[in-house]
Amino acid sequence: MRYVIIGAGAVGGALGGRLAQAGHDVVLVARGKQYEALRERGLVLQTPDGVHTHRLPVVDGPEALGTLRADDVLVLSVKTQDSAAALAAWGGRPVAGGGTAALRLPLVCAQNGVESERLALRTFQRVYAMCVWLPATFVEPGVARADGTPLTGILHLGRYPEGVDDTARAIAADLERSWFEAPVVADVLHWKYAKLLANLANAIEAVSGVLTSKEGIALFQRARAEGEAVLAAAGIAYTPKDEEKRIRADKIRFEPFDGSPRGGGSTWQSLQRGAGTVEADYLNGEIALLGRLHGVPTPVNDVLQERANEAARLGSSPGATSVAELTAAVDARCA
């Protein structure tokens, strides 16, 4: 199989780099400065076991790749706010032997949140959900960093909305030869909703800085409790925290390997590089949406969503607002 990584940033770069390092066929898809750097200098993946440079095929869109192969696997790793455009661009592409990508090819959503799979299933017939537990950072154009060892990531994978098949097993086998653990599970959404609850911290981290203070952790606990109440009202099951801990155990450790401190998560990174948008609408906003559908107030996540989006619009740096100020805004909304 050939892996077409649509969105070769932090997660996409780590996936593509490790797959290529294990001998798999990989094409990277990127735009702007990232595309230029990948084309000119290759993908540089910094890991605890060394710095690896991969000279891989890179394109800036589906037209540049031409007719897709029948054994292609499309891996969607853009932020969710960019999913609709990417799905529209790739879905109609012709595949060797006839048909289109949306009709014939598997599409794996390697993203936070649960919305991209729903968007994809409107047009793609073979959609797979991936719960991405992969600590990775976009360092600069062409350079990604993956801090985990001995595994680079744990990637639960399954058919969307549920089930498993031979394609999922084949993808997982390739990933497991590439420094990942990739459990194939019929209830992959249970893992994705559990990750959604954890990702409610992303907005706090981006707006107020990397979560280390008691005040920041307390605010996250309030956001998570709200999320758990919403999922209960909606009848949505998710993997319990003790099971997450048991499955992941100490399979991924963070070991400093170049002296530079670890930054924040995906939303923090979007603010840091001035992307102009963040994925809060599909994290905290997912809880807000479900809360409105099921009659559960979500003032904490409402404020976090609003403040993260505002920071992105204003081009604010990560941590520009104190935790105390953010907590005060939440308290005022809850009053």
Side-chain angles (χ1 to χ4, degrees), residues 38-273:
L38 293 171
R39 184 183 60 179
E40 294 172 6
R41 300 187 295 276
L43 170 66
V44 178
L45 181 60
Q46 303 171 349
T47 71
D49 56 79
V51 177
H52 311 279
T53 300
H54 303 283
R55 303 290 301 191
L56 301 172
V58 57
V59 297
D60 59 359
E63 293 80 8
L65 194 56
T67 300
L68 296 170
R69 289 172 20 180
D71 66 343
D72 279 340
V73 175
L74 305 183
V75 180
L76 191 64
S77 55
V78 299
K79 294 293 192 296
T80 302
Q81 61 267 30
D82 298 319
S83 288
L87 291 166
W90 287 89
R93 296 306 302 170
V95 178
T100 64
L103 179 65
R104 293 186 56 196
L105 298 184
L107 175 86
V108 179
C109 295
Q111 301 161 286
N112 287 333
V114 295
E115 181 63 20
S116 283
E117 290 86 353
R118 291 194 291 240
L119 291 171
L121 202 61
R122 294 176 185 273
T123 50
F124 279 79
Q125 296 198 18
R126 301 171 63 195
V127 178
Y128 297 79
M130 177 182 283
C131 181
V132 179
W133 187 260
L134 199 178
T137 305
F138 178 92
V139 178
E140 62 183 56
V143 182
R145 171 183 169 131
D147 291 279
T149 188
L151 292 175
T152 297
I154 300 176
L155 311 169
H156 285 77
L157 177 69
R159 249 341 248 271
Y160 179 82
E162 62 184 4
V164 300
D165 61 14
D166 288 342
T167 298
R169 295 186 188 95
I171 294 170
D174 285 350
L175 290 168
E176 297 216 331
R177 289 189 287 267
S178 308
W179 290 268
F180 297 103
E181 185 172 290
V184 178
V185 292
D187 59 351
V188 65
L189 283 185
H190 289 195
W191 289 91
K192 294 212 71 169
Y193 274 106
K195 180 78 185 308
L196 171 66
L197 290 173
N199 285 145
L200 298 180
N202 286 24
I204 304 170
E205 180 184 67
V207 173
S208 300
V210 176
L211 277 182
T212 54
S213 70
K214 292 181 180 179
E215 295 79 8
I217 294 170
L219 185 55
F220 164 58
Q221 290 172 339
R222 292 171 66 182
R224 182 182 174 105
E226 206 173 75
E228 290 176 347
V230 163
L231 294 185
I236 295 173
Y238 57 90
T239 305
K241 284 194 288 186
D242 58 348
E243 184 176 352
E244 285 189 288
K245 184 177 180 180
R246 179 181 63 82
I247 294 297
R248 289 171 179 151
D250 60 351
K251 297 174 183 176
I252 300 179
R253 301 188 306 273
F254 304 110
E255 295 183 359
F257 57 88
D258 64 358
S260 60
R262 290 186 63 226
S266 56
T267 306
W268 186 95
Q269 292 179 47
S270 292
L271 283 189
Q272 184 187 46
R273 66 175 185 269

